[in-house]
Amino acid sequence: MKKALKAGLIVFVAVVACMLIFVSGICYPDGKASASYEPQNWMSALDGSKKLSELNIPGTHDSATRYINFAYFLQDQNTDIRAQLESGFRYFDLRVKLAKDASDLYMCHNFGDCRTGKFLFSKKLLFKDVVAVAARYLAAHSSEAVIFAVKPENAADDMAKVTELINSCIDENELLWYVKNDIPTLDDVRGKIVLARRYDDERGIDFQWKDQGDCKMPTAYGDEATITEGVSLFVQDCYRYDVADKWRAVETVLDSCAASDTAFSLNFLSTVTHALLPHPKKYAMQMNARFLEKQLQKGSRYGIVIFDFATTALAQRVIESN
């Protein structure tokens, strides 16, 4: 009887262990869940004297596109900003355009409008809505810092008015924002939104770079730009490559990343290849799977790594490399 009970207990323990392994594989596709991983407050464990550019930070591309018109072609995320924050993402790629009456800024991607819900006529998502989400999150998680890379998407918009509306949003709560054109330490910006602007202005870190959609295979992937004297920005955003070439670009930058206290590095996994009718999700699934297979070395610098259809597992992989 005792032998039977012992054998039954062994079988039970084995089954439970297998179930845990299976569940961890669902939650984290690489099968390596960490019990100590706390994505909501991961920056609390980092040395606050380090410059933001020295940290390995997960980011999202076209961050506000969970709900967007023409989603097949334009959707790049399937979670909202709040969920991305909770998953550990701290860099957000935000595209804005003027409302028709120039009274406000809408979130967008290309010709599509970002919305607050999945229905066609759901309310349009405003820039100030996204700021409010980040503000609430940072109020509850004061150890964290968030980078907003803001790009005016419509070349026909009145840029003076766009800048005015962004600055008006900043003026409503100046203590929430870091708007100097230099690289802050983490302690400088805990509890703040760091403005990384992709337009001309005096406020914010200058995050402007040349478009990399020409499909050419360069000798060195990416482009280097100047933030200010002695401070630089390196960006790999070759978004017209097929998956094999795009992964080669991403991996090359990962393996040779020059992020430092005087240099930001941005490494985008997003691509739509040469397709006339792009479907970002198709390529994101392939790129993200390759990234999860990549072994990152703890303590190595990888800079800001930016994903389409971002998941907690992708954020964890970047975060745990710090």
Side-chain angles (χ1 to χ4, degrees), residues 78-255:
N78 55 9
T79 58
D80 60 20
I81 300 293
R82 173 75 191 194
Q84 292 169 34
L85 284 162
E86 291 177 343
S87 292
F89 293 95
R90 296 292 179 265
Y91 174 98
F92 296 89
D93 172 30
L94 303 174
R95 315 297 177 91
V96 299
K97 71 175 184 180
L98 275 177
K100 287 184 178 180
D101 62 1
S103 64
D104 225 324
L105 289 174
Y106 293 130
M107 303 305 304
C108 66
H109 174 206
N110 204 311
F111 54 83
D113 294 326
C114 299
R115 298 185 178 274
T116 57
K118 63 182 178 180
F119 300 109
L120 179 62
F121 297 108
S122 297
K123 179 185 173 184
K124 291 182 181 180
L125 184 65
L126 300 175
F127 177 65
K128 62 186 179 184
D129 295 336
V130 176
V131 172
V133 170
R136 288 193 294 269
Y137 187 85
L138 291 168
H141 305 276
S142 58
S143 62
E144 308 305 286
V146 171
I147 301 172
F148 273 11
V150 182
K151 179 188 178 187
E153 191 83 329
N154 186 0
D157 279 348
D158 179 347
M159 282 307 305
K161 187 62 179 178
V162 171
T163 303
E164 177 189 328
L165 288 169
I166 293 171
N167 287 335
S168 176
C169 196
I170 293 169
D171 290 338
E172 289 179 7
N173 188 357
E174 290 187 12
L175 295 179
L176 176 65
W177 294 83
Y178 182 88
V179 294
K180 296 179 182 178
N181 187 30
D182 62 13
I183 303 177
T185 66
L186 176 56
D187 278 347
D188 287 336
V189 293
R190 290 192 194 274
K192 294 181 180 291
I193 298 172
V194 178
L195 176 63
R197 55 175 171 81
R198 296 182 64 183
Y199 55 92
D200 292 327
D201 193 33
E202 294 181 355
R203 281 175 157 180
I205 305 176
D206 190 351
F207 263 41
Q208 299 184 78
W209 64 85
K210 296 176 183 176
D211 184 88
Q212 297 174 29
D214 59 8
C215 307
K216 294 179 181 177
M217 296 295 292
T219 55
Y221 296 104
D223 180 58
E224 190 167 356
T226 298
I227 291 175
T228 189
E229 185 176 355
V231 182
S232 61
L233 170 71
F234 179 84
V235 182
Q236 182 286 115
D237 186 23
C238 306
Y239 59 88
R240 288 289 183 185
Y241 286 179
D242 62 28
V243 170
D245 288 339
K246 179 63 177 184
W247 177 248
R248 190 175 300 114
V250 170
E251 188 170 41
T252 298
V253 174
L254 288 174
D255 292 342

